[in-house]
Amino acid sequence: MLVALIAGAFSGYPMGFVMAGIAVSFCLMADVPIAFLFTFVTRIYAGILADWLLLSIPLFVYMGLMLDKSGIAGRLLTSLARLMGPLPGGYAIAVAVIGIIMAASTGIVGASIVMLGLLGLPAMLERLKIKSS
């Protein structure tokens, strides 16, 4: 399975499909009844839908991605960075302030970290290139 996972990772397919395909193919090679696979998936799916907290995590990550793609979070970052401009590390302070705002609005640390990584890192690297050249 590890060799198949490594080959699938380098094939270019999304990892969710690769891991699901490897799991199903190895179950079929082991002669696991297909009815067992359907009941197993149904029980896992029902367990996730029964717990609202587990359902909210991908939705908060989606909210962070939509804030990034729409440009709202980017404009917030640039305006905060301009506000903190005279201070050393203005972008870092702006990212920390946005992290505080996102943590207060979402309540889930993983969603805030994903959003800050997608938003803050490219802006800070771009700022670094501008300063160094």
Side-chain angles (χ1 to χ4, degrees):
M1 287 181 89
L2 181 64
V3 172
L5 180 66
I6 291 172
F10 287 114
S11 68
Y13 288 107
M15 284 305 293
F17 294 133
V18 168
M19 293 190 330
I22 289 171
V24 169
S25 62
F26 274 81
C27 283
L28 292 176
M29 283 191 287
D31 291 331
V32 173
I34 294 178
F36 175 74
L37 292 177
F38 286 130
T39 57
F40 185 69
V41 169
T42 306
R43 291 184 79 193
I44 290 175
Y45 188 66
I48 290 173
L49 286 179
D51 190 6
W52 288 100
L53 180 64
L54 292 177
L55 188 62
S56 67
I57 293 172
L59 295 176
F60 282 128
V61 171
Y62 178 71
M63 180 190 72
L65 289 173
M66 287 299 108
L67 285 174
D68 180 39
K69 296 295 181 188
S70 67
I72 294 171
R75 290 193 307 263
L76 178 65
L77 177 68
T78 55
S79 64
L80 280 174
R82 286 181 187 154
L83 183 66
M84 305 288 179
L87 298 173
Y91 262 84
I93 295 171
V95 169
V97 169
I98 290 176
I100 291 168
I101 293 169
M102 289 304 297
S105 66
T106 62
I108 296 178
V109 176
S112 299
I113 290 172
V114 168
M115 204 269 313
L116 287 174
L118 289 174
L119 175 70
L121 187 62
M124 291 173 90
L125 288 175
E126 180 180 322
R127 179 76 174 173
L128 182 68
K129 288 179 187 176
I130 291 172
K131 284 214 174 216
S132 64
S133 58

